[in-house]
């Protein structure tokens, strides 16, 4: 039973959950140990064929960002519905919540897909990339830092400027 359990653990560590589960069942029939039961529960809850594992795999195997959110390519779509799908998937794939092996990678890809599809310029660039076209020109002001408002700099900016002025006024203490 212990030998079968060790083989199952080796297969599970290698990501071969289906094989590990078969060997674990043999181990459990021979002699039921708490370690074997715990590994079986973990594989059933977080393994490759578990609901969490299947969700992570579907995100990672998507051919493009649109497929992740089940949206038709290049078709207009409402941002609120995309946001709702993103929140649902991100809640299920968040590494703090899901212990599936590929959940962290799927969560990162999900965030990238969401940020790309919700930004008009990034979405246009991505669409051009999918179609094999050259990227569109950047819109005026895209990616530049925001300027202060007509009311003047923010309180945070004012404090930062005051600190800089105070540091310039202090005599140098290099001696």
């Amino acid at each position: 039973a212990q030998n079968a359990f060790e083989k199952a653990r080796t297969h599970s560590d290698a990501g071969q959950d289906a094989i590990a589960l078969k060997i674990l069942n043999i181990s459990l029939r021979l002699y039921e140990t708490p370690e074997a039961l715990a590994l079986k529960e973990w594989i059933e809850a977080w393994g490759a064929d578990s609901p969490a594992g299947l969700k992570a795999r579907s995100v990672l195997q998507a051919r493009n960002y649109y497929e992740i959110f089940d949206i038709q390519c290049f078709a207009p779509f409402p941002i609120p519905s995309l946001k709702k799908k993103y929140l649902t998937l991100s809640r299920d794939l968040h590494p703090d919540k899901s212990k599936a092996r590929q959940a962290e990678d799927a969560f990162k890809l999900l965030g990238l897909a969401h940020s790309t599809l919700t930004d008009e310029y990034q979405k246009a660039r991505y669409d051009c990339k999918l179609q094999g076209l050259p990227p569109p020109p950047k819109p005026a002001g895209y990616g530049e830092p925001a300027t202060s408002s007509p009311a003047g700099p923010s309180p945070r900016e004012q404090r930062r400027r005051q600190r800089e002025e105070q540091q310039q006024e202090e005599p140098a203490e290099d001696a």
Side-chain angles (χ1 to χ4, degrees):
Q2 186 63 30
N3 194 15
F5 171 71
E6 293 301 326
K7 281 186 179 180
R9 179 180 283 162
T10 303
H11 284 288
S12 176
D13 291 344
Q16 301 167 337
D17 292 327
I19 296 170
L21 205 49
K22 286 180 184 179
I23 297 172
L24 262 177
N25 286 330
I26 293 169
S27 171
L28 289 170
R29 272 184 276 159
L30 294 173
Y31 185 75
E32 201 170 283
T33 63
E35 296 88 11
L37 286 171
L39 182 59
K40 182 179 179 183
E41 287 177 15
W42 188 91
I43 290 173
E44 289 173 345
W46 306 111
D49 294 329
S50 68
L54 292 173
K55 255 184 201 170
R57 190 176 341 146
S58 72
V59 168
L60 292 172
Q61 290 179 346
R63 292 175 299 206
N64 57 52
Y65 294 163
Y66 292 101
E67 198 172 288
I68 291 173
F69 296 108
D70 197 25
I71 296 172
Q72 186 178 0
C73 279
F74 316 118
F77 56 87
I79 298 293
S81 70
L82 176 76
K83 184 176 181 179
K84 184 176 180 180
K85 289 177 184 181
Y86 168 73
L87 290 174
T88 302
L89 281 171
S90 65
R91 189 178 325 116
D92 294 339
L93 293 173
H94 195 282
D96 289 345
K97 181 163 174 144
S98 175
K99 304 211 181 345
R101 284 187 184 91
Q102 299 174 324
E104 186 173 348
D105 294 335
F107 183 73
K108 289 177 184 176
L109 181 62
L110 181 69
L112 180 62
H114 176 260
S115 66
T116 299
L117 295 179
T118 53
D119 181 292
E120 285 185 34
Y121 175 66
Q122 290 295 329
K123 181 181 177 305
R125 282 181 56 113
Y126 183 71
D127 290 347
C128 288
K129 179 182 170 188
L130 287 179
Q131 295 172 342
L133 301 172
K138 282 187 178 182
Y142 184 83
E144 296 175 8
T147 57
S148 61
S149 67
S154 67
R156 183 181 214 171
E157 179 66 19
Q158 289 174 354
R159 288 191 302 271
R160 186 187 64 78
R161 288 180 185 175
Q162 287 174 349
R163 281 193 305 270
E164 285 178 358
E165 290 173 4
Q166 289 172 356
Q167 288 173 355
Q168 289 174 355
E169 291 174 3
E170 292 177 0
E173 297 179 14
D174 294 316

